[in-house]
């Protein structure tokens, strides 16, 4: 049974709801649909599932893009109502006839909806009655299966029929029968061949072992040149060994004077503190506090002119019709009109390192938002599609919540507790290095920072963090290796509370998203310490793997947590952004998958090379 049907504008004004249904929905499925699907450019999907305590709903929707209306139907997921799509199409058609932008109430639509619903239910009932009429086909399939049930002659018959290539209504039965019989037969043949291969292999091996030395000696006798000398060298071995030892002695490691220059460690005993302070002070202002300037649009216009000049044939094709269409305007856009422009956009996004799955979903969402919309005069379809895609990309990449960490730090300071940030991610993405960059940026804003070395798994991880702490002159909490990282983090937070540190930056071990023991340990660390911010550190170099990494990280954190409300990833730190040129698609893929904003971007090796994500620059690069 249908639970609810709503009609509202894209601005959020509810125009009509079905009073007959009047069922009180559990939870807030409509709000969740708008927030996590429609606003996230996932409207190209067929349906949305919403789980609430005691109920599971399926939501389906359609748009009237020309009028800016949204039609949403809600029903129990277990029912699988067949008439919902047809009912939404009928409601959309009828309501668009009476829609007036000045009207707010549509009480007269109740009777119309009642009739439309009866028609849709009647058609669905007719389809159900028609379905049993197709018993002949099912019976045919059953007969074929019965014929082929004999494992002797039945299989032979099916094989001969399959070889003849006969196609009929009962082809599925044949395929299944032949698939099983041929699979078993082939498996037996393969196993037989393997057995024969093993037997022959053993015989050949033994025979070869017996005859190998004879043939080798014959060859050596026939050549009598280098190989005989080689054998003599092997047999004697005394004349050449001294020469080899001499060559080894020539490689001197200890006596070279350059070894002192290769030692870059800080000697704390002698003069070390003064050098460290100079190193920390000379780094300069962090790029987080500098505004990035986006170049003008003149470059884009030049690129467009070049692309136009490079395709003169495409311009000549249908010149008059395209010119007339751009002047007069098109009645309504349909999928066939949008498909070429969307395909070109999808290919462009994929060349910028956007995951294929994400690019496809974005194009479907843009198509859903433009389908049925009237094309204005002097406007090309490609420019309309590009403008819609640009709006969608800006909407996705713009954070929906505050990412001002300094404000959150001061708020935590007022509550007399440290602000805890946990850095998580896969191996080798630069968690420790970028943790030090974040620490340097916080120090510039007069925030006291403490590091927690909770990577007790990788060799050298504690020493690496200790080096950063010495260079930045900040305290570090460490317990060595082979300790429980969750307990180490908890003790570090307690130590920071006692010492009055404002921020605790927790370094964790790198782990692959499929490594369940390590993911379980990470889930325990997050559950036990309840950090204020969980930052996923990811490379800007990844393409399709970004989808797998983030979705599985979130999934594992949710599945392995013992809390009823598990903590997921709150933000993203993109590293190695200086190595990708215009391949900036990883930022889009990660934000789209997780719904979390990009809070930091690492763009170099020094402490100052940390900046904010410039949404306009990213969108411009993606569509260039």
């Amino acid at each position: 049974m249908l639970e609810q049907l709503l009609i509202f504008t894209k601005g959020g004004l509810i125009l009509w709801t079905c009073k007959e249904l009047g069922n009180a929905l559990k939870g807030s499925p409509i709000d969740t649909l708008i927030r996590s699907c429609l606003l996230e450019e996932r409207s190209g999907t067929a349906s949305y599932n919403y789980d609430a305590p005691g109920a599971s709903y399926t939501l389906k929707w359609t748009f009237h893009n020309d009028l800016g209306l949204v039609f949403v139907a809600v029903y129990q997921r277990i029912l699988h109502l067949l008439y919902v799509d047809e009912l939404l199409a009928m409601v959309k058609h009828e309501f668009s006839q009476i829609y007036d932008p000045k009207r707010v109430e549509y009480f007269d639509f109740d009777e119309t909806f009642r009739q439309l619903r009866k028609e849709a239910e009647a058609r669905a009932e007719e389809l159900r009655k028609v379905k049993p009429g197709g018993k002949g086909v099912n019976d045919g399939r059953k007969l074929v299966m019965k014929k082929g049930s004999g494992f002797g002659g039945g299989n032979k018959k099916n094989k001969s029929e399959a070889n003849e290539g006969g196609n009929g209504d009962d082809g599925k039965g044949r395929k299944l029968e032949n698939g099983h019989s041929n699979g078993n037969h082939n498996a037996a043949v393969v196993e037989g061949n393997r057995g024969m291969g093993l037997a022959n292999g053993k015989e050949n091996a033994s025979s070869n072992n017996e005859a190998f030395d004879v043939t080798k000696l014959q060859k050596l006798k026939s050549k009598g040149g280098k190989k005989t000398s080689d054998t003599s060298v092997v047999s004697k071995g005394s004349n050449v060994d001294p020469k080899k030892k001499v060559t080894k002695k020539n490689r001197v490691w200890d006596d070279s004077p350059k070894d002192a220059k290769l030692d870059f460690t800080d000697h704390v005993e002698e003069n070390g503190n003064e050098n460290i302070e100079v190193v920390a002070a000379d780094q300069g202002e962090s790029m987080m506090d500098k505004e990035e300037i986006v170049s003008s649009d003149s470059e884009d216009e030049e690129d467009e002119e070049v692309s136009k000049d490079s395709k003169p044939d495409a311009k000549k094709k249908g010149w008059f019709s395209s010119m007339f269409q751009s002047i007069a305007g098109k009645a309504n856009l349909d999928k066939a009109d949008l498909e070429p422009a969307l395909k070109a956009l999808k290919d462009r996004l994929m060349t910028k390192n956007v995951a294929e799955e994400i690019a496809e979903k974005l194009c479907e969402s843009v198509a859903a938002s433009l389908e049925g919309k009237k094309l204005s005069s002097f406007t090309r379809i490609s420019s309309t599609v590009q403008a819609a895609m640009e709006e969608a990309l800006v909407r996705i990449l713009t954070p929906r919540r505050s990412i001002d960490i300094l404000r959150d730090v001061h708020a935590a300071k007022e509550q007399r507790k440290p602000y805890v940030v946990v850095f998580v991610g896969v191996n080798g993405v630069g968690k420790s290095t970028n943790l030090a960059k974040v620490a340097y940026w916080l120090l510039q804003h007069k925030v006291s920072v403490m590091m927690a070395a909770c990577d007790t798994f990788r060799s050298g991880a504690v020493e690496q963090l200790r080096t950063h702490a010495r260079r930045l002159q900040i305290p570090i909490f460490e317990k060595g290796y082979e300790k429980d990282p969750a307990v180490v983090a908890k003790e570090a937070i307690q130590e920071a509370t006692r010492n009055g540190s404002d921020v605790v930056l927790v370094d964790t071990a790198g782990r692959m998203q499929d490594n369940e023991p390590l993911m379980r340990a990470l889930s325990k660390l997050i559950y036990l310490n309840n950090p204020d911010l969980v930052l996923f550190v990811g490379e800007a170099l990844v393409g399709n793997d970004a989808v797998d990494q983030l979705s599985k990280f979130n999934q594992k954190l949710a599945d392995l947590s013992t809390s009823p409300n598990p903590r997921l990833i709150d933000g993203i730190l993109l590293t190695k952004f200086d190595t990708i040129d215009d391949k900036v698609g990883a930022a889009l893929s990660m934000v789209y998958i997780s719904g979390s904003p990009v809070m930091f971007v690492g763009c170099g090796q020094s402490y100052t090379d940390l900046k904010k994500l410039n949404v306009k620059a990213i969108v411009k690069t993606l569509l260039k």
Side-chain angles (χ1 to χ4, degrees):
M1 180 182 175
L2 200 66
E3 295 289 323
Q4 188 56 272
L5 196 141
L6 294 94
I7 304 172
F8 55 92
T9 65
K10 288 189 176 180
L13 178 64
I14 297 176
L15 300 175
W16 180 85
T17 58
C18 182
K19 293 180 181 177
E20 278 188 7
L21 299 174
N23 296 324
L25 297 175
K26 296 180 180 179
S28 52
I30 305 294
D31 293 341
T32 308
L33 171 73
I34 294 169
R35 188 170 56 251
S36 61
C37 193
L38 303 186
L39 291 179
E40 290 288 329
E41 297 300 327
R42 291 178 171 86
S43 53
T45 54
S47 62
Y48 178 76
N49 293 327
Y50 175 81
D51 293 318
S56 296
Y57 299 115
T58 295
L59 290 85
K60 290 195 172 184
W61 63 91
T62 185
F63 299 110
H64 197 301
N65 292 308
D66 199 22
L67 301 178
L69 301 178
V70 185
F71 304 81
V72 180
V74 186
Y75 61 93
Q76 292 282 350
R77 193 187 308 170
I78 197 170
L79 297 178
H80 299 290
L81 300 182
L82 301 175
Y83 62 86
V84 173
D85 292 324
E86 187 180 359
L87 178 62
L88 281 172
M90 293 161 67
V91 168
K92 172 183 169 182
H93 179 265
E94 293 296 329
F95 192 83
S96 61
Q97 304 294 324
I98 64 169
Y99 175 68
D100 183 2
K102 296 178 182 178
R103 284 182 65 182
V104 181
E105 296 177 343
Y106 292 86
F107 297 118
D108 54 340
F109 191 68
D110 293 345
E111 185 61 32
T112 308
F113 173 73
R114 195 178 297 115
Q115 293 175 1
L116 294 175
R117 187 181 170 194
K118 285 180 181 177
E119 287 179 20
E121 287 177 348
R123 287 182 188 176
E125 194 63 33
E126 285 177 10
L127 287 172
R128 284 177 189 166
K129 288 178 182 177
V130 170
K131 274 186 180 179
K135 277 183 179 178
V137 178
N138 293 332
D139 292 339
R141 287 177 187 167
K142 286 177 185 176
L143 285 170
V144 170
M145 294 298 288
K146 283 176 183 176
K147 284 178 184 177
S149 60
F151 291 101
N155 287 339
K156 290 178 184 175
K157 186 177 178 182
N158 286 335
K159 284 178 189 176
S160 62
E161 286 173 358
N163 292 331
E164 287 170 7
N167 295 324
D169 293 335
D170 48 356
K172 286 184 180 178
R174 284 194 196 119
K175 283 179 185 175
L176 285 170
E177 200 70 18
N178 289 331
H180 287 299
S181 61
N182 290 339
N184 295 331
H185 174 70
N186 291 336
V189 170
V190 169
E191 290 298 326
N193 288 338
R194 282 180 185 168
M196 289 173 66
L198 286 171
N200 292 335
K202 288 178 182 177
E203 290 172 8
N204 292 334
S206 60
S207 60
N208 287 337
N209 286 335
E210 291 171 3
F212 178 73
D213 294 330
V214 178
T215 53
K216 192 173 180 183
L217 285 171
Q218 286 175 354
K219 285 179 183 179
L220 291 173
K221 284 177 183 177
S222 61
K223 290 184 179 179
K226 292 182 180 179
K227 289 195 176 181
T228 50
S229 62
D230 291 340
T231 50
S232 63
V233 166
V234 172
S235 59
K236 292 177 184 177
S238 56
N239 296 329
V240 185
D241 284 341
K243 290 181 183 178
K244 286 185 181 177
K245 287 177 184 176
V246 170
T247 53
K248 283 185 180 179
K249 283 181 181 178
N250 285 336
R251 293 186 296 176
V252 179
W253 298 98
D254 298 328
D255 299 335
S256 62
K258 293 182 181 180
D259 281 353
K261 294 180 182 179
L262 289 173
D263 187 11
F264 292 106
T265 57
D266 297 320
H267 300 287
V268 185
E269 302 276 322
E270 4 164 308
N271 246 339
N273 294 329
E274 293 177 6
N275 293 335
I276 292 168
E277 286 173 9
V278 170
V279 168
D282 286 346
Q283 295 292 324
E285 187 184 3
S286 175
M287 294 175 70
M288 281 288 292
D289 303 317
K290 296 177 183 177
E291 290 294 329
E292 189 176 352
I293 300 169
V294 184
S295 59
S296 62
D297 294 331
S298 58
E299 295 177 4
D300 291 343
E301 291 171 5
E302 289 174 8
D303 291 341
E304 284 180 11
E305 287 174 6
V306 169
S307 64
K308 286 177 190 174
D309 296 338
S310 63
K311 296 180 181 178
D313 297 335
K315 228 180 170 186
K316 289 177 186 175
K317 232 182 227 182
W319 178 85
F320 181 77
S321 60
S322 61
M323 179 61 72
F324 179 77
Q325 186 176 316
S326 65
I327 293 172
K330 197 175 188 305
N332 285 312
L333 292 170
D334 53 15
K335 277 190 177 179
D337 299 323
L338 299 170
E339 202 169 322
L342 287 172
K343 188 179 183 304
L345 261 182
K346 180 188 171 184
D347 294 341
R348 193 184 306 174
L349 289 173
M350 288 172 63
T351 58
K352 303 293 183 181
N353 214 17
V354 178
E356 182 181 3
E357 181 187 344
I358 307 300
E360 193 170 344
K361 285 181 179 178
L362 276 171
C363 290
E364 287 173 1
S365 179
V366 169
S369 66
L370 291 177
E371 196 175 346
K373 198 172 185 179
K374 189 174 180 181
L375 188 67
S376 57
S377 303
F378 298 100
T379 309
R380 292 181 301 169
I381 293 175
S382 59
S383 59
T384 304
V385 170
Q386 178 141 345
M389 179 63 81
E390 186 174 349
E391 288 177 11
L393 294 178
V394 170
R395 197 180 304 122
I396 291 167
L397 290 171
T398 303
R400 294 183 303 280
R401 60 177 178 82
S402 173
I403 57 171
D404 188 357
I405 290 181
L406 293 173
R407 189 190 69 177
D408 297 337
V409 168
H410 290 303
K413 192 176 181 180
E414 289 175 1
Q415 298 175 7
R416 296 182 178 179
K417 65 174 188 176
Y419 187 82
V420 183
V421 185
V422 175
F423 292 76
V424 303
V426 299
N427 308 76
V429 293
K431 289 184 293 299
S432 304
T433 305
N434 285 276
L435 181 147
K437 292 179 186 178
V438 173
Y440 179 78
W441 171 67
L442 290 170
L443 287 172
Q444 287 193 317
H445 289 273
K446 310 301 181 186
V447 175
S448 60
V449 183
M450 188 176 84
M451 293 181 179
C454 296
D455 184 356
T456 61
F457 182 76
R458 176 173 64 90
S459 299
V462 176
E463 287 78 7
Q464 180 185 3
L465 211 63
R466 193 187 299 153
T467 303
H468 286 305
R470 284 213 315 269
R471 288 172 66 83
L472 295 173
Q473 291 290 282
I474 58 177
I476 179 173
F477 186 88
E478 56 173 285
K479 286 287 185 178
Y481 295 98
E482 296 184 1
K483 302 289 191 300
D484 188 354
V487 176
V488 175
K490 191 172 184 64
E491 292 178 3
I493 295 168
Q494 291 170 355
E495 182 69 20
T497 308
R498 284 193 296 269
N499 295 341
S501 297
D502 299 330
V503 179
V504 180
L505 302 179
V506 181
D507 185 29
T508 62
R511 66 206 73 214
M512 294 307 293
Q513 60 270 20
D514 297 319
N515 192 329
E516 188 167 328
L518 287 177
M519 288 303 299
R520 192 179 294 278
L522 179 63
S523 179
K524 178 186 174 184
L525 185 148
I526 293 172
Y527 170 69
L528 192 65
N529 297 285
N530 192 23
D532 299 282
L533 184 65
V534 179
L535 269 183
F536 179 84
V537 185
E539 283 183 333
L541 303 166
V542 295
N544 290 323
D545 199 36
V547 177
D548 189 55
Q549 284 180 10
L550 262 170
S551 57
K552 285 190 177 177
F553 249 85
N554 264 336
Q555 189 64 42
K556 290 287 184 184
L557 288 176
D559 292 345
L560 300 175
S561 177
T562 55
S563 171
N565 298 315
R567 283 291 302 278
L568 304 179
I569 291 166
D570 301 317
I572 299 165
L573 194 158
L574 271 179
T575 65
K576 307 178 185 178
F577 213 72
D578 54 322
T579 63
I580 57 171
D581 194 23
D582 62 343
K583 305 290 190 293
V584 296
L588 177 64
S589 299
M590 289 185 177
V591 173
Y592 189 90
I593 282 296
S594 65
S596 303
V598 176
M599 305 185 74
F600 300 100
V601 174
C603 53
Q605 297 295 322
S606 63
Y607 291 132
T608 58
D609 294 330
L610 191 75
K611 63 181 182 180
K612 298 174 185 175
L613 183 75
N614 192 323
V615 174
K616 289 182 181 178
I618 295 293
V619 172
K620 180 183 170 184
T621 307
L622 285 170
L623 297 178
K624 188 163 66 176

